[in-house]
Amino acid sequence: MTFDSAKPLVVEIGLGCYFWLALCTLLSGALYPALEVGTACQIPLTLSCDAGLLLGFAGCLAVAQSGGRTFGASSLAGTDRTSGAVVLPFLLACTTSASILLRAGMLFEDAAVPMIAGDVLLGASLAAAGYLWWLAFSGEPPRGAFLRLVRALLGASIAFVALSLMPRGILLLCACLVAPVAMGLGLAAQLPETKASSSKAHPGTGEDKTPLAADVLRSAEVKSALNADAASTGAEAERPAPLPRVLSASIVISVFVADLLLSLFPVSLFSEASPLFAPLTGDPAAAVLGNLTEPAFIAALLIALFSVAALLLEERGRLRLPLVCSVGFFAVAVGFVTFPYHLPGGAPIGIAEAGRVIILVFIIMALLRYYQGCPPQAWLIPLARLACLCALAMAVADVLVMTLYLNPALDLFDFTNRTIFGGVGVLVLVALLLGPMPHVYEVVRRGACHSEAAGNNAENTDEGAESAAAVSLQREELAEAHLDAFASTHRLSPREREILGLISKGRDVPYIEQELVLSKSTVKTHIRHIYEKCEVSSRQALIDLLQSHPGD
C-alpha cells in the first residue's frame, strides 16, 4: 500500500482522534487528576474550557484576517504551499499534548492552577484544530466531507467506550501521545492535498456527485463573451461571503441554550450510582465501570446510533437538515425536562450531551451545504467570526449558571431556578424550530452562491460588488439559456425542462419531489421520458450529453 492510497485512512483516523479528544473533554473525568481538586475549583473550571475556545477561535480569526501570513499559514489559505501546512498541525498536536499533561496533573502538582491552565489551553487547541479541519475539507464536495465526518464521529464514540474501560494509564497515554500525533498526521496529509486539488473542483469522481451547474456554465463560458469579465472579477468571487443574519443568530442561540441547559444540571457525571453498571460490577452503588460512567456511556451510545442512522440515510440521499436539527434539540430538551424526576444513574444528562453533539453536527452540515462550491476565501473569516460568537455565547451561559450557584442560600430554591431557566431554554428551542429554522433551511438550500448576500450588505456595496453581482446574474442567465437550448433540441416538455434543471444542479429524486410537489412515481416517469428523448440510460450519461451540447 502506497502512502497516497493510505491518505484517506490517515485523514479519517486523525479526524476520529480529534472527535475522541472532544468527547473525552465533554464526557470523561479521567483527564482530571483528582475529583477533590476539581470540586474545589469548580467555578473557574466551569468557565476555563469555554474561555479557551474563545481564545482559540479569536486567534484563528486573527490569522484569517491577516491573509494567512501569521505562523507560516499562508499555505493553509491556499496562497502557496510552504512547510506551514505540515508544521502547524504538529505544533498544534504538541500544544494539545501539553494541555492534557497539565490538566491530568502529570506536569507540576495536582493543583488548581495547572488544571485550569490545562483546561484553557486544551479548549484553545481544540478550537484551532477544528478550524484547521474545516480548512482541510474546504476543497471537498459537501456530501463527501459530511460522510467522512460522520464516519469519524462513529469511530470516536466506539473508541471512547472501549478506551474508558481500560486502565487510566492507557487512556492518558492515548490522550497525551497517540491521539494528538494521529490528529497532526491526518491534518498534514489532508491540507496540502486539498489545497492542491481545490482548483480542480472535483469533477464528479469517486463517491460524490458534483453539481453540474458549474460544469455546464464553464463549458458554455468558453464559447461566450463572459470570459474577459470572469477573469477581471476572479478576485471578487473569492471575497468573504457573509452569513445571513437568520443563520448566524439561529446557530449562536442554539449553542447558547444547549450549553445553558447542560450547565444547569447540578449533578456530577462522575459520582452518580449506576443501576446499569451494577450487574457488571456486583456493587449496587457502583458509579463507574473502569473510567466509564453511565451518563457518558449513554451519550456515546446515542452518538454512535445517530452516526449509523445518518450514514445510512445520507448514502440514500434522504438525510435532511430538519431531521438532524430536530433530533438534537429534542434530545437536549428531553434530557433536561426528565431530570427533575431524577431517573437513576444520570441518564438524562447523557441524553442531553448526545443532543448537544447532534446540534453541532447539524451546524456543520448546514455550513458545509451553505458554502458548497465556494472557495475557502469566501468562508474563512465569516466562519471564524461565527465560531467566536458561539464560544462567547457558551462563556456567557457559564457565567450565568455560576452566578446562580455562588449564593449558598440559592440551594433552597435550586429546583425552582432550574425549572425557570430550563423552561425558558426549552421554549427557546421550540421557538427556534417553529420560527427561524424553516428560514434557515431555505437559506442553506440556496447556498452562498445563490443567496441574497448583496441585499444583506446593501449598506456596504460599491462598484466592484455591483459588477460582480451583474456578472453572476449573467452567468446564471447563460446557464439557463444553455439548458433551454438543450431542452429545445431534444423536444423536452416544460415540466421535463424544469426537472432537467434540478438534475443539472445535482438534486436527487426526493429533493425534486419536495421542490415541485410531485409524487415519486411522477418524478421517475418524467426522468425516464427525459432519458428516452435524449437516448441515454443513466444520470451520468445525461450529464455528459448536457456538458457536450454546443452553447448558443
Side-chain angles (χ1 to χ4, degrees):
M1 178 183 294
T2 64
F3 179 70
D4 287 339
S5 62
K7 271 187 178 181
L9 181 62
V10 171
V11 171
E12 289 201 12
I13 291 176
L15 181 59
C17 287
Y18 170 74
F19 286 139
W20 177 74
L21 287 174
L23 291 179
C24 285
T25 304
L26 290 171
L27 304 176
S28 177
L31 298 186
Y32 286 112
L35 291 179
E36 294 78 10
V37 179
T39 304
C41 59
Q42 183 61 49
I43 291 177
L45 278 176
T46 300
L47 185 60
S48 57
C49 194
D50 288 347
L53 287 175
L54 181 58
L55 290 175
F57 285 132
C60 293
L61 177 59
V63 172
Q65 288 181 325
S66 69
R69 292 184 293 274
T70 310
F71 305 117
S74 56
S75 61
L76 303 182
T79 55
D80 60 49
R81 294 184 62 191
T82 65
S83 60
V86 177
V87 173
L88 195 57
F90 285 103
L91 178 63
L92 188 61
C94 293
T95 304
T96 305
S97 297
S99 67
I100 294 173
L101 290 173
L102 280 170
R103 185 178 179 180
M106 301 176 71
L107 293 177
F108 305 107
E109 300 292 334
D110 294 351
V113 174
M115 187 187 302
I116 294 171
D119 230 17
V120 173
L121 194 59
L122 180 59
S125 62
L126 288 177
Y131 194 67
L132 286 184
W133 280 113
W134 267 101
L135 183 59
F137 288 141
S138 64
E140 292 191 358
R143 180 174 180 271
F146 178 73
L147 287 173
R148 180 174 289 184
L149 181 151
V150 176
R151 285 195 296 265
L153 186 61
L154 174 61
S157 58
I158 296 173
F160 174 80
V161 174
L163 290 173
S164 295
L165 296 176
M166 295 184 179
R168 183 171 182 266
I170 295 178
L171 188 148
L172 288 178
L173 178 65
C174 292
C176 296
L177 182 62
V178 178
V181 170
M183 183 179 69
L185 280 171
L187 279 172
Q190 176 73 355
L191 283 169
E193 178 187 23
T194 300
K195 295 302 105 189
S197 60
S198 61
S199 61
K200 299 178 183 178
H202 298 270
T205 58
E207 61 177 359
D208 301 302
K209 296 172 182 165
T210 305
L212 179 64
D215 295 331
V216 173
L217 186 57
R218 257 193 308 276
S219 64
E221 281 179 336
V222 173
K223 304 169 186 177
S224 73
L226 284 178
N227 277 337
D229 293 335
S232 64
T233 57
E236 293 290 337
E238 295 184 351
R239 292 179 60 184
L243 283 165
R245 291 185 180 90
V246 65
L247 180 58
S248 300
S250 298
I251 288 175
V252 172
I253 294 174
S254 302
V255 171
F256 171 77
V257 174
D259 191 69
L260 178 67
L261 291 180
L262 283 161
S263 299
L264 284 171
F265 280 106
V267 296
S268 170
L269 269 176
F270 322 121
S271 60
E272 190 82 7
S274 172
L276 182 64
F277 293 155
L280 300 175
T281 61
D283 182 3
V288 295
L289 184 64
N291 296 293
L292 185 66
T293 64
E294 182 179 325
F297 173 72
I298 290 174
L301 179 63
L302 291 178
I303 292 169
L305 290 176
F306 166 78
S307 300
V308 171
L311 283 173
L312 293 176
L313 290 173
E314 183 66 12
E315 288 286 0
R316 290 163 175 76
R318 296 183 179 274
L319 186 62
R320 297 288 180 264
L321 279 175
L323 176 63
V324 179
C325 176
S326 302
V327 167
F329 284 6
F330 179 77
V332 172
V334 166
F336 188 86
V337 169
T338 57
F339 178 77
Y341 302 101
H342 199 72
L343 302 180
I349 193 173
I351 296 172
E353 282 285 6
R356 174 162 67 168
V357 173
I358 294 172
I359 288 175
L360 295 178
V361 172
F362 154 72
I363 293 171
I364 293 172
M365 186 176 177
L367 293 173
L368 279 172
R369 293 187 176 179
Y370 177 74
Y371 279 119
Q372 62 181 332
C374 295
Q377 291 81 355
W379 55 260
L380 281 176
I381 293 177
L383 182 64
R385 289 173 179 165
L386 178 64
C388 288
L389 288 175
C390 289
L392 180 61
M394 293 170 66
V396 170
D398 290 339
V399 171
L400 180 60
V401 172
M402 284 192 299
T403 58
L404 290 176
Y405 293 99
L406 281 177
N407 184 359
L410 198 60
D411 292 339
L412 298 175
F413 308 100
D414 175 64
F415 179 82
T416 303
N417 282 279
R418 196 168 65 246
T419 303
I420 292 173
F421 279 92
V424 171
V426 172
L427 287 176
V428 170
L429 292 180
V430 173
L432 278 172
L433 284 173
L434 298 179
M437 281 302 170
H439 300 288
V440 169
Y441 307 144
E442 178 62 23
V443 166
V444 172
R445 189 185 67 81
R446 288 201 308 264
C449 297
H450 302 287
S451 67
E452 299 175 357
N456 294 334
N457 285 333
E459 297 178 358
N460 299 321
T461 55
D462 53 16
E463 293 182 1
E466 292 174 359
S467 175
V471 171
S472 176
L473 180 61
Q474 286 179 319
R475 290 178 175 179
E476 291 181 8
E477 291 175 351
L478 181 61
E480 291 298 318
H482 185 84
L483 289 169
D484 289 339
F486 181 88
S488 176
T489 300
H490 294 277
R491 302 184 306 280
L492 302 183
S493 68
R495 179 63 82 180
E496 290 166 353
R497 158 64 180 84
E498 196 172 10
I499 292 176
L500 175 66
L502 293 174
I503 291 176
S504 73
K505 297 176 182 177
R507 307 307 188 188
D508 55 12
V509 171
Y511 181 93
I512 298 174
E513 290 176 50
Q514 295 180 2
E515 182 72 11
L516 302 181
V517 195
L518 299 173
S519 66
K520 180 183 292 187
S521 60
T522 302
V523 173
K524 288 186 175 181
T525 300
H526 282 307
I527 293 176
R528 185 175 70 252
H529 290 165
I530 293 173
Y531 287 173
E532 291 173 354
K533 292 180 180 180
C534 296
E535 299 181 353
V536 296
S537 58
S538 67
R539 176 181 291 237
Q540 187 59 51
L542 178 64
I543 288 173
D544 294 339
L545 181 63
L546 182 56
Q547 284 181 298
S548 63
H549 184 75
D552 293 341

